[in-house]
Amino acid sequence: MVRSMTGYGRGIYSDNQRSITVEVKAVNHRYCDITVKMPRKYSFAEEKIKAAAKEVMRRGKIEIGVSIDNFGKSETDVNLNLEVAKRYYDVLTELSQSFELSGDGQVPLSLLAGMTDVLTTVPAADDEEEFTRELMAALKEALEGISAMRTVEGEKLALDILKRADIIENTKNLIAERAPKIEREYKEKLKARITELLDGSVEVPEDRLALEAAIFADKANITEEIVRLGSHIDQLRTFINGDEETVGKKIDFLVQEMNREANTIGSKSNDMDITSWMLELKAEIEKIREQVQNIE
C-alpha cells in the first residue's frame, strides 16, 4: 500500500470547560521530522503527541499545531506570599515609626500588594491526565484525517507509477527485439565499407568479417542490462502492489538502479534506434523518481 507523505488533518475536542483544536500538516522529507507548536504550559503532553504521530506516519516533515480555548476559567492563578508580605509590613511600619511620619501608622494595602513577590501570577493548574485524554481525542481525529488524505494521494501516485512502468517495459521490449539485429547490420555495413574502399579489387574474407562483427557484438551486448531492467520493473510493481506501508526509500533505490541500466544500454548499444528508446526510458524513469520523492 503506497501512501503519500503530504496531507492535512484537523481534529477538535470540546466540552463545557475548554475547546482543543489540533491541526496536522505534512510534506515530503527524507526522515520523520515532527515539530509541535502549543502553549508552553501544556508542554508536558508534547512527547505523547509525537509518539502518537509516529505510530501513524513513518516519514515526512510533520507540523502539529495545538490551540486551547478555556471557558469560564482563567488561564492564570494569583498566589499570595504571606511571609514576604509580613516582612514588608514590618519593615514599612518600622520605617514609619523611626521617622515619626504623619498618619495613623497603618501600611496601605495597595502599597503592600504592589511590593515585589507579594502577589505573583502562575499558570492555572490543570489535571494533566484529563487534559491529555482530551488532547489525544482531538489528535486522533486529526491523524485519521491526514491518514485518509495521504492514502488517497498515495493511490493516485501508485496508478501513475504503474502506468509509467508499463511504458518502460514496452520500450525495453523494443530494445530487446532490436538488439540481436545490430550484429548482422554491422557486419553488412562493414563489408560494404571495405568493398567501397578497395573498389571491389579484393574479396573480403567472410571469417574476418565474422570475427570483427563478433567483437563488436560482444562490446555492444546489452542482454544483461535488459534482463536486470526487466527484473527491476517486476520489483517495482511488487512494491507498489504490496502490503508494506513504507516503500518510498526502497523504490527510490530501485529507480536509481533502473536509471543506471538505461545509461549502460545507451553507452553500449551504438545504435540510433536504441539510443532514442534509451532517452525515452530515462524520461519515464525520471518522472517516476519525482513521484517517489513524495511516497512514504
Side-chain angles (χ1 to χ4, degrees):
M1 179 173 57
V2 172
R3 296 201 308 175
S4 169
M5 281 192 281
T6 61
Y8 171 82
R10 187 169 185 262
I12 298 176
Y13 174 88
S14 183
D15 58 21
N16 58 358
Q17 292 187 15
R18 65 171 66 91
S19 175
I20 303 174
T21 302
V22 178
E23 292 183 300
V24 182
K25 304 174 185 177
V27 295
N28 60 316
H29 193 271
R30 188 174 181 181
Y31 304 107
C32 183
D33 180 17
I34 302 176
T35 57
V36 179
K37 297 181 180 179
M38 62 190 304
R40 184 177 299 178
K41 64 173 292 188
Y42 300 107
S43 60
F44 57 81
E46 182 171 333
E47 290 306 315
K48 290 186 177 181
I49 293 174
K50 290 183 177 181
K54 286 181 180 179
E55 290 181 1
V56 177
M57 297 176 285
R58 272 67 172 187
R59 290 180 68 200
K61 185 174 180 60
I62 303 153
E63 293 184 0
I64 302 176
V66 180
S67 59
I68 300 102
D69 291 325
N70 290 303
F71 306 141
K73 180 181 179 181
S74 174
E75 294 190 12
T76 58
D77 286 334
V78 179
N79 285 351
L80 168 63
N81 193 325
L82 196 56
E83 292 298 321
V84 172
K86 187 176 185 303
R87 183 59 182 155
Y88 275 125
Y89 179 84
D90 292 342
V91 171
L92 290 173
T93 301
E94 182 180 353
L95 180 64
S96 176
Q97 293 173 352
S98 297
F99 288 92
E100 298 181 352
L101 300 176
S102 60
D104 56 8
Q106 297 296 318
V107 179
L109 180 60
S110 58
L111 175 62
L112 194 58
M115 303 304 291
T116 305
D117 295 332
V118 173
L119 298 178
T120 56
T121 58
V122 295
D126 273 290
D127 185 330
E128 292 187 4
E129 185 175 342
E130 179 183 359
F131 174 81
T132 302
R133 178 184 58 79
E134 297 169 353
L135 172 63
M136 298 307 286
L139 177 63
K140 180 182 178 183
E141 182 181 351
L143 292 175
E144 288 174 350
I146 194 172
S147 294
M149 182 177 290
R150 282 155 64 104
T151 298
V152 171
E153 182 66 21
E155 291 173 353
K156 294 178 181 178
L157 292 174
L159 289 174
D160 184 76
I161 291 174
L162 289 174
K163 180 182 71 175
R164 300 192 185 285
D166 290 341
I167 295 174
I168 292 172
E169 184 170 45
N170 291 336
T171 306
K172 183 265 296 181
N173 291 339
L174 291 174
I175 294 174
E177 183 179 350
R178 171 67 181 158
K181 302 175 182 178
I182 297 176
E183 180 182 356
R184 183 177 67 253
E185 292 179 2
Y186 176 77
K187 181 178 178 180
E188 293 172 354
K189 289 179 181 179
L190 181 62
K191 182 177 181 180
R193 180 62 174 160
I194 293 175
T195 301
E196 180 184 353
L197 291 174
L198 298 178
D199 198 21
S201 59
V202 179
E203 184 177 352
V204 182
E206 286 294 328
D207 58 341
R208 182 61 181 175
L209 281 175
L211 177 61
E212 290 295 330
I215 293 173
F216 171 81
D218 183 63
K219 292 182 179 179
N221 188 289
I222 55 176
T223 302
E224 291 184 10
E225 287 75 14
I226 292 173
V227 171
R228 283 197 294 266
L229 182 58
S231 175
H232 295 334
I233 295 170
D234 291 340
Q235 284 184 287
L236 176 62
R237 291 187 176 122
T238 299
F239 287 147
I240 293 295
N241 294 318
D243 295 330
E244 190 175 351
E245 293 186 355
T246 53
V247 294
K249 289 183 179 180
K250 291 182 179 180
I251 297 177
D252 188 41
F253 174 78
L254 193 60
V255 169
Q256 293 179 40
E257 294 302 304
M258 292 171 67
N259 192 60
R260 194 193 311 276
E261 303 302 341
N263 285 332
T264 305
I265 289 171
S267 64
K268 291 175 67 174
S269 65
N270 197 26
D271 178 76
M272 291 299 296
D273 289 337
I274 291 182
T275 298
S276 176
W277 288 326
M278 181 273 296
L279 294 175
E280 293 179 14
L281 280 179
K282 287 179 63 67
E284 294 302 322
I285 291 171
E286 176 61 21
K287 291 174 184 177
I288 291 178
R289 190 196 67 81
E290 293 175 356
Q291 297 286 43
V292 170
Q293 303 311 306
N294 201 34
I295 291 179
E296 186 177 37

